[in-house]
Amino acid sequence: MEKMKGVENCMRYGLIYEKTGFQNMEMTYSVDMVRYAFAFDKTACCSLSKDMQHLYDYLSDKIRTDLYKTSRSFGYKDLFTFSSDYDDRDSSVITVGIGLNGVNRDDAFKCFLEFNPNKVDADILCMVVDALHPNCTKHWLKLVRWDLAVDIPVQRSQACFYKDRRDYAYYKSARKGVTTYLGQHNKEGFTKLYDKTLESGLAENLTRLEITFGEMDLPTMPQVYIDTNSQEELLLNLSGTNRVLALLLNQLDTGDFETYYNMLNYKLKKKLEPYVKHGVRLEYDFKVIYSLMMRLKALEKNFDLSSDWHNIKFMDEESPFDKGN
């Protein structure tokens, strides 16, 4: 298949991330996932299925390809996944859903395209776009959801977020450590805080915060606190039972911590106070988030993903995408 015009000089894998400083730590912000909605033309039902099947057959001998068909309510009739490894840990995964099993007739024409722009295989993305674009409606793709990832160079036990009125969930496993959630999965404002060191088998300490953005305004940003007291400091400055107690308290999320900490007597609380949950509140770097979105815009231009740029606003400021950049 011929490459689309304008992508010959693109990097094979996107680089939509930026580093910034906070409290003498180097933080990394990145776009972890993007999801676009689109609809195919009502006259192109057969041609779209045919073109996607041809692409699936063509790539099956070269990369991992999967096709899942279902009539389950609110699933997609055809779900294509194209996966290609580029090192021992990471792989490019592009997912396309065709035809929503919804409640009305127009739902049958609804589709989506999803991938991680930091890991996407540019050649495969070009082929997918080539197969989809001719069969779709005039407005083509619309960005409806994207995930912001913030990498914090601390142990998972040194980071937590305050619970609010949204749904809260806590999960712990030997393989992935502690993961906490706020909000509803795949909805704007959904938040996940987890142990990136365990999840990716890293040598260094790293905790990842992921926040789902919608298509318009800033979502509810979680109040994240980072405890700059290291486990080594606790070992040096406390001894015996108090050391163990401080270590255990620092493993708890905010709600449980407050419950158990308040059970201690006044004297013991004052003694442990310098060593437990006195973290600094994370201040989000919105200039970096702007920059990430502009890089995403550039990627969209290169791959002809969208001609209708986003109208995202932060803190009632004018959207940077309305300035013709």
Side-chain angles (χ1 to χ4, degrees):
M1 292 189 177
E2 183 182 355
K3 287 188 178 183
M4 293 191 65
K5 182 180 178 181
V7 302
E8 291 85 352
N9 296 322
C10 288
M11 295 188 66
R12 183 172 174 81
Y13 304 106
L15 292 173
I16 304 184
Y17 69 87
E18 192 164 325
K19 295 184 182 295
T20 186
F22 176 73
Q23 292 289 318
N24 298 318
M25 294 181 291
E26 185 179 71
M27 318 276 279
T28 302
Y29 285 61
S30 62
V31 178
D32 192 58
M33 182 278 297
V34 291
R35 185 180 178 106
Y36 296 90
F38 65 97
F40 61 85
D41 191 280
K42 295 179 181 180
T43 62
C45 182
C46 293
S47 60
L48 177 60
S49 297
K50 182 179 178 181
D51 289 348
M52 286 301 295
Q53 188 64 54
H54 283 169
L55 177 61
Y56 175 85
D57 294 339
Y58 172 77
L59 292 175
S60 292
D61 293 334
K62 299 173 176 59
I63 62 172
R64 293 197 312 277
T65 54
D66 296 288
L67 172 57
Y68 175 70
K69 292 178 175 285
T70 183
S71 59
R72 177 175 54 85
S73 296
F74 301 105
Y76 285 83
K77 293 182 175 67
D78 295 326
L79 189 67
F80 294 88
T81 303
F82 305 98
S83 307
S84 52
D85 296 328
Y86 60 92
D87 63 29
D88 293 337
R89 264 189 265 171
D90 290 317
S91 61
S92 165
V93 180
I94 300 172
T95 304
V96 181
I98 306 292
L100 178 66
N101 296 314
V103 295
N104 59 57
R105 185 175 300 177
D106 287 339
D107 286 340
F109 304 100
K110 293 181 179 179
C111 310
F112 77 86
L113 169 66
E114 184 175 291
F115 58 90
N116 182 337
N118 277 303
K119 299 178 182 178
V120 69
D121 184 318
D123 295 335
I124 304 302
L125 182 58
C126 284
M127 295 178 187
V128 171
V129 170
D130 278 343
L132 293 175
H133 201 173
N135 299 292
C136 295
T137 54
K138 181 180 179 181
H139 293 294
W140 188 211
L141 296 173
K142 178 183 180 183
L143 181 68
V144 293
R145 194 168 75 238
W146 63 280
D147 285 349
L148 170 70
V150 182
D151 288 331
I152 310 167
V154 298
Q155 298 178 31
R156 175 61 182 85
S157 60
Q158 292 175 257
C160 67
F161 51 62
Y162 278 3
K163 298 176 185 177
D164 51 32
R165 294 184 178 181
R166 291 177 291 171
D167 294 341
Y168 171 82
Y170 172 98
Y171 177 75
K172 184 176 183 178
S173 72
R175 189 168 65 89
K176 292 189 176 182
V178 172
T179 303
T180 48
Y181 306 88
L182 275 180
Q184 296 182 345
H185 188 60
N186 290 334
K187 299 293 185 180
E188 182 178 312
F190 178 71
T191 300
K192 177 181 177 182
L193 187 67
Y194 65 98
D195 192 328
K196 188 66 176 176
T197 298
L198 285 180
E199 192 258 359
S200 296
L202 304 177
E204 67 275 12
N205 292 326
L206 197 65
T207 295
R208 171 165 286 192
L209 171 69
E210 291 182 2
I211 305 167
T212 297
F213 282 62
E215 54 188 295
M216 292 297 288
D217 292 344
L218 187 74
T220 301
M221 303 294 278
Q223 293 185 32
V224 176
Y225 287 81
I226 303 168
D227 183 4
T228 55
N229 284 328
S230 69
Q231 302 291 352
E232 289 77 12
E233 288 179 295
L234 291 174
L235 293 174
L236 289 173
N237 295 300
L238 292 175
S239 61
T241 303
N242 290 338
R243 181 198 308 161
V244 174
L245 185 56
L247 289 169
L248 291 174
L249 285 170
N250 281 329
Q251 297 293 323
L252 301 176
D253 282 309
T254 304
D256 291 334
F257 168 78
E258 291 175 351
T259 298
Y260 289 105
Y261 184 67
N262 288 329
M263 289 181 180
L264 302 176
N265 62 51
Y266 177 80
K267 184 178 179 180
L268 185 53
K269 282 198 290 187
K270 293 302 289 183
K271 187 171 186 176
L272 295 179
E273 189 176 27
Y275 308 103
V276 295
K277 297 299 180 186
H278 269 280
V280 293
R281 182 173 174 176
L282 174 63
E283 296 177 4
Y284 297 100
D285 193 329
F286 293 104
K287 289 184 178 179
V288 167
I289 297 175
Y290 275 167
S291 177
L292 293 179
M293 290 305 296
M294 297 307 290
R295 293 188 189 192
L296 180 58
K297 176 180 175 179
L299 179 142
E300 291 176 344
K301 280 186 175 180
N302 281 331
F303 290 95
D304 196 21
L305 296 183
S306 177
S307 59
D308 185 17
W309 305 125
H310 328 304
N311 188 33
I312 294 174
K313 296 180 180 179
F314 297 139
M315 305 301 188
D316 297 322
E317 294 182 16
E318 183 182 356
S319 169
F321 309 108
D322 294 333
K323 300 176 181 179
N325 293 326

